[in-house]
Amino acid sequence: MTLHQKHNLRFLLISVATLLYFFANIQRSAVPGAVFDLLQGDFLIDASKITLLGAIFCYVYAFVQLIVGLMVDKIGGFRVVALGSIIFSIGALLFPLADNLALLYLSRALVGFGGATFYLSTIREVKKFAKDKNFSLAVSYILFVGYFGGVVANAPLVLGAHNFGWRATFYLIAFITIILSLIYLISLFIFKPVHIEKETKWSLAPFREVLLNKNNIHLYVFGATNYGLYYVLQSVIGKKFLEDFSGFEVSTSALILSIMAIISAFAGTISAFISKKIDNKRAIIFKTYAILSVFSVTSVFLCLFFNFHTKLIALIFCIPSFIGSISPLLIANLHLINKYEVTATAVAMQNFSFFMMVGVLGMASGMLMNVFAPVETQGTLIYPNQSYLLVFGLFFIISVIELIYAFKLKDEY
């Protein structure tokens, strides 16, 4: 195989891995948010059990990030994606087949496990070939494609689920996922990656080194709270809240969440571009975004407190959509403040913190929504203002923590 052919095959592997990341985003954004009412109606379960679907995905996704960091260092990103694609495909197929809660939860665990391998592994392979000055932009392109999964996971998926049923829609997603996985596995067999670090040992030392660095901790707390607030709205309660409180139709609320995902997809690239234009300064961007986060959460909380039902909340939701997509900047900071040997672990810890926060906030939201009894209207459970007031009260506390840690971050390391 010539170097040119090898290069093209490597590009194909990265491209297919990015598409698998796109489908991982569809899975994590669509369930439970986009199909909240449909699942609740089919399985006759309360909000806490529905939000647990998202939490299980996030918990598994978070913990697997830690394993992926070690595996990538040991056997390379391409092999890790291969393993993940198989597990992800099984989980994707099992979800529409499930006829009870246990199988639903198992499918979300498998999808979370497989989906967790795509992002970090692909970034690691890109890091080997992208120049340092272009790395943040390269990451933002991968995120751009991935985040468009959130676009498909709302308005288009909701349209399909309501016209053809949620099971048929997820069967189609599973079928495409399996085809992509087969293409990837065949391409990898031809490519024959040689990366195996025999001297790399399974060790907790990289985690210890990463966690003893206080600059990492500041970045993790800020990043996790920032991302958690956005993604809980995007993937767990945002659509339901827009329908229950603001009175949007199902299709309209799904469209709003798709628009949020579009904003998020472009935001990562825009933020990276802004940072590059201001000499790679990032701290000022982090602080500005944290202030906007407090503003957006406080605005919704006040609307709930004063029982002010307004469609403008859809515009307010666009703020966390934009500021929640800062992974390229966070990853650049992690590469700056950590040795190269532990950067995969450092990024894995960041992703772990992201999805642990989403899982915790998602579960807490479901529990808080159940504090006050919902009212059934035409077969749909509508949750009262008091329930959402508790949820956004929690979000306000989280946004203040985000603000505090944003002002601990700096550019001069």
Side-chain angles (χ1 to χ4, degrees):
M1 185 181 298
T2 66
L3 286 176
H4 181 69
Q5 291 172 326
K6 195 88 169 176
H7 175 78
N8 289 339
L9 201 52
R10 181 182 291 115
F11 181 77
L12 175 63
L13 286 168
I14 290 174
S15 298
V16 176
T18 301
L19 288 175
L20 286 170
Y21 177 58
F22 165 83
F23 278 93
N25 272 275
I26 291 179
Q27 290 282 357
R28 76 187 191 199
S29 296
V31 183
V35 289
F36 197 108
D37 287 333
L38 294 177
L39 292 175
Q40 197 167 45
D42 276 9
F43 290 91
L44 302 176
I45 49 181
D46 61 33
S48 63
K49 291 185 176 64
I50 291 291
T51 55
L52 185 57
L53 286 168
I56 286 173
F57 177 99
C58 289
Y59 289 149
V60 173
Y61 195 99
F63 279 105
V64 172
Q65 292 297 311
L66 307 181
I67 304 172
V68 169
L70 295 172
M71 292 176 67
V72 166
D73 286 337
K74 181 70 176 176
I75 63 174
F78 286 147
R79 287 192 179 91
V80 175
V81 171
L83 173 64
S85 68
I86 296 170
I87 298 173
F88 183 71
S89 297
I90 294 171
L93 184 60
L94 183 60
F95 183 70
L97 284 170
D99 58 0
N100 58 68
L101 272 180
L103 283 179
L104 275 183
Y105 291 149
L106 175 60
S107 70
R108 301 317 294 165
L110 292 174
V111 167
F113 190 108
T117 65
F118 303 142
Y119 176 66
L120 181 60
S121 302
T122 306
I123 286 177
R124 186 67 165 193
E125 293 298 332
V126 169
K127 178 62 178 175
K128 295 177 183 177
F129 308 106
K131 295 180 180 179
D132 287 344
K133 65 179 182 179
N134 296 323
F135 180 59
S136 290
L137 283 175
V139 172
S140 71
Y141 296 149
I142 294 172
L143 286 171
F144 179 82
V145 174
Y147 281 4
F148 253 85
V151 179
V152 176
N154 287 286
L157 188 141
V158 167
L159 182 64
H162 280 271
N163 286 335
F164 306 106
W166 67 268
R167 292 185 188 274
T169 303
F170 278 93
Y171 274 128
L172 176 60
I173 292 171
F175 175 75
I176 298 173
T177 298
I178 292 169
I179 295 298
L180 285 173
S181 297
L182 288 173
I183 292 172
Y184 185 90
L185 293 171
I186 293 170
S187 301
L188 186 65
F189 178 78
I190 298 170
F191 184 75
K192 293 181 173 59
V194 296
H195 180 113
I196 294 183
E197 296 290 346
K198 295 182 179 179
E199 296 181 1
T200 300
K201 307 297 181 183
W202 301 108
S203 171
L204 295 178
F207 293 102
R208 189 182 307 114
E209 181 174 342
V210 167
L211 293 175
L212 287 176
N213 186 334
K214 69 176 183 179
N215 293 318
N216 285 333
I217 301 302
H218 295 163
L219 205 64
Y220 291 153
V221 175
F222 163 72
T225 50
N226 175 272
Y227 186 83
L229 288 171
Y230 158 63
Y231 217 77
V232 166
L233 291 178
Q234 178 70 53
S235 66
V236 183
I237 69 163
K239 177 175 174 290
K240 183 65 173 167
F241 172 74
L242 290 172
E243 294 164 10
D244 290 357
F245 180 72
S246 298
F248 285 104
E249 295 292 330
V250 171
S251 58
T252 306
S253 62
L255 179 60
I256 291 168
L257 262 70
S258 283
I259 293 171
M260 288 170 60
I262 292 172
I263 292 170
S264 184
F266 281 101
T269 303
I270 292 171
S271 296
F273 180 78
I274 292 172
S275 175
K276 188 174 182 179
K277 286 298 182 182
I278 58 175
D279 297 325
N280 286 320
K281 300 293 183 183
R282 291 178 283 271
I284 184 64
I285 296 175
F286 295 152
K287 292 167 186 175
T288 302
Y289 286 5
I291 292 170
L292 289 172
S293 181
V294 173
F295 169 77
S296 61
V297 172
T298 303
S299 298
V300 177
F301 181 84
L302 291 175
C303 288
L304 285 161
F305 185 81
F306 291 106
N307 199 27
F308 180 51
H309 295 259
T310 173
K311 308 290 187 184
L312 291 176
I313 285 181
L315 292 177
I316 296 172
F317 272 23
C318 292
I319 297 174
S321 303
F322 185 87
I323 66 178
S325 184
I326 54 173
S327 286
L329 302 186
L330 295 173
I331 290 172
N333 260 31
L334 289 171
H335 278 84
L336 182 66
I337 62 182
N338 292 279
K339 295 188 301 185
Y340 175 79
E341 291 78 8
V342 298
T343 51
T345 301
V347 175
M349 285 298 301
Q350 175 195 270
N351 291 340
F352 170 82
S353 67
F354 275 13
F355 289 95
M356 281 300 293
M357 181 61 71
V358 175
V360 169
L361 288 181
M363 278 192 66
S365 298
M367 293 170 64
L368 291 173
M369 286 171 69
N370 278 337
V371 170
F372 296 94
V375 177
E376 185 172 346
T377 303
Q378 296 179 343
T380 301
L381 296 179
I382 307 297
Y383 290 86
N385 287 13
Q386 297 96 317
S387 295
Y388 289 114
L389 193 61
L390 291 176
V391 172
F392 279 90
L394 171 63
F395 290 179
F396 173 75
I397 295 171
I398 298 298
S399 69
V400 172
I401 294 172
E402 175 190 346
L403 183 65
I404 292 170
Y405 276 86
F407 277 83
K408 294 178 181 287
L409 303 176
K410 56 186 180 180
D411 290 310
E412 299 79 18
Y413 290 108

